[in-house]
Amino acid sequence: MKLRITYAALACALLLAGCAAGEGTAVSSSAEPAVSTAAEPAITPEPTMEPTPQPTPAPTPEPSSLLEYTTLPLDNTKKTPANYWTAYFENPSNPAAVDYARQLAMGLYNNDVDAVRAACSDRVLSGDFPLNDLDGLNISAFSLEGGRYDVPYLSLTVTDPGNTPFLRGRHIYYLNYDETGKIRWLSPSLSNDSPQSIGLASYRASLSEDVAFCGYASAELTNPLGLTWGPATLHCYDAYWVPNEEDDGHHYENRNEQDLGPVDAPPYGITSYDVPPEGNSLTGSQLENVCEALNKRFSALADGSYMGEFDASPGNDALLSAWDAAVPLPVAVTPEALRSCASQDNWGAPCAEIWVPLPQNCWAVIKTNAHHTGSEGIIDDSFSFNYYQTVPAALAAVLPQ
């Protein structure tokens, strides 16, 4: 047993000595080559190419943000009402309606709430009457027109609406009577076919002689008189000419009517939607000439010195025939802010339409003969401004291409 232990110890010692020689001393050439455990040199990775950042496109500025605006100055001096009665204002089927309409007009002119209420129907007075407070209202002039051959209306020149919902400036309010002749509604919209709702703005595109595409916004009245309303709703339909069965005439028939949902009510009493041009049909020099002519007019409107083609002296009539006082007036325009497109004048001759941006996605549009006259006569006083709101997105999505 002792001998076996001695041999085992000797073998273990020899094994340990061999291991030590392999790690720290040289070995004979007949020995197996040692495997190096030194670390391999590090491989430098190829640099990763970062993607070139693409510039974020700048948001398209709101066209009206390129301009500065002011309000049109108006003369608060009251005119003599008797000079503004119109002889053709009458209602042969109900003469009492004429008297009530005059009582309403005079009541508004004189800030007489009792007279205004006395001219309105029980239906109007039973709801939320919007003319109970006439403090601050200033009407410098008015006229009553229509009634026999046209829808009767009251034209008011309001220099300060006070606490009323009337629009500033000269605007038309259509009259409707009950069976006793009292005022049933006083609406800025001719399309007020129902005493419960009002038409706010419309768009119409003629696709052919037989088909027209129409869109319109309407709202429920929040008071029975027709001067204030609730949220607007957008609708559209195709209208077709169809022959009448009983005669040789035709009539429109609506098809494919859609309810497009809620939409913002047009501001400033603007009653038309339209699609602005994308760019300009005029050259750079023509746009410069147009800007010069427009800015002369805007400057004269802003300081009250504007005179229309048939006006011998400055005055409200000249101002109000040149610009709607309920609409912001540009202080000055630049070519970058304007848009233009080809059109026809009142006599069918080619001309251009100039689109001036206004706040709240609205535009003032005037025709010009800039195609023909260079810098002379760019803006003709016989052309007035028309006001449009950009077609709402929901309506634009379904417009015929």
Side-chain angles (χ1 to χ4, degrees), residues 143-277:
S143 65
L144 286 161
E145 301 184 37
R148 178 181 285 272
Y149 305 110
D150 302 309
V151 176
Y153 63 87
L154 171 62
S155 174
L156 296 177
T157 301
V158 178
T159 58
D160 188 342
N163 295 320
T164 72
F166 289 117
L167 291 173
R168 186 174 178 271
R170 185 173 60 199
H171 293 274
I172 287 174
Y173 297 89
Y174 295 96
L175 300 169
N176 185 280
Y177 313 104
D178 66 8
E179 62 280 358
T180 69
K182 289 192 173 184
I183 306 302
R184 192 164 70 111
W185 69 56
L186 182 69
S187 170
S189 170
L190 183 59
S191 60
N192 194 1
D193 298 324
S194 164
Q196 283 78 43
S197 65
I198 187 172
L200 298 178
S202 61
Y203 170 85
R204 177 173 173 175
S206 294
L207 307 183
S208 69
E209 293 182 356
D210 300 321
V211 184
F213 182 86
C214 303
Y216 66 96
S218 64
E220 297 298 311
L221 297 178
T222 56
N223 71 77
L225 189 58
L227 291 175
T228 57
W229 48 84
T233 304
L234 192 62
H235 318 264
C236 73
Y237 57 85
D238 293 328
Y240 295 82
W241 277 112
V242 295
N244 297 335
E245 296 180 358
E246 66 278 3
D247 55 39
D248 294 332
H250 292 72
H251 67 277
Y252 266 123
E253 181 176 303
N254 300 335
R255 301 177 185 175
N256 303 324
E257 186 163 358
Q258 302 178 58
D259 184 343
L260 301 179
V263 66
D264 291 336
Y268 317 132
I270 292 173
T271 59
S272 297
Y273 292 125
D274 211 327
V275 180

Side-chain angles (χ1 to χ4, degrees), residues 263-393:
V263 66
D264 291 336
Y268 317 132
I270 292 173
T271 59
S272 297
Y273 292 125
D274 211 327
V275 180
E278 290 294 331
N280 278 295
S281 63
L282 300 182
T283 65
S285 61
Q286 287 174 325
L287 284 172
E288 291 283 356
N289 292 336
V290 165
C291 286
E292 182 180 358
L294 282 174
N295 289 337
K296 286 180 180 178
R297 173 172 289 192
F298 292 150
S299 176
L301 286 167
D303 64 22
S305 63
Y306 172 79
M307 290 186 292
E309 184 179 12
F310 303 106
D311 294 292
S313 61
N316 275 353
D317 287 345
L319 293 175
L320 295 173
S321 65
W323 192 263
D324 186 343
V327 176
L329 179 74
V331 173
V333 295
T334 60
E336 295 76 20
L338 298 182
R339 298 185 189 178
S340 61
C341 61
S343 184
Q344 291 183 337
D345 65 17
N346 297 338
W347 300 273
C351 68
E353 280 185 352
I354 308 302
W355 289 63
V356 181
L358 302 174
Q360 301 189 49
N361 292 317
C362 294
W363 298 82
V365 180
I366 191 171
K367 292 184 178 180
T368 171
N369 51 3
H371 279 311
H372 308 288
T373 58
S375 60
E376 296 296 327
I378 285 288
I379 303 299
D380 191 328
D381 279 326
S382 64
F383 294 126
S384 60
F385 285 92
N386 294 310
Y387 304 95
Y388 300 101
Q389 186 179 31
T390 300
V391 168

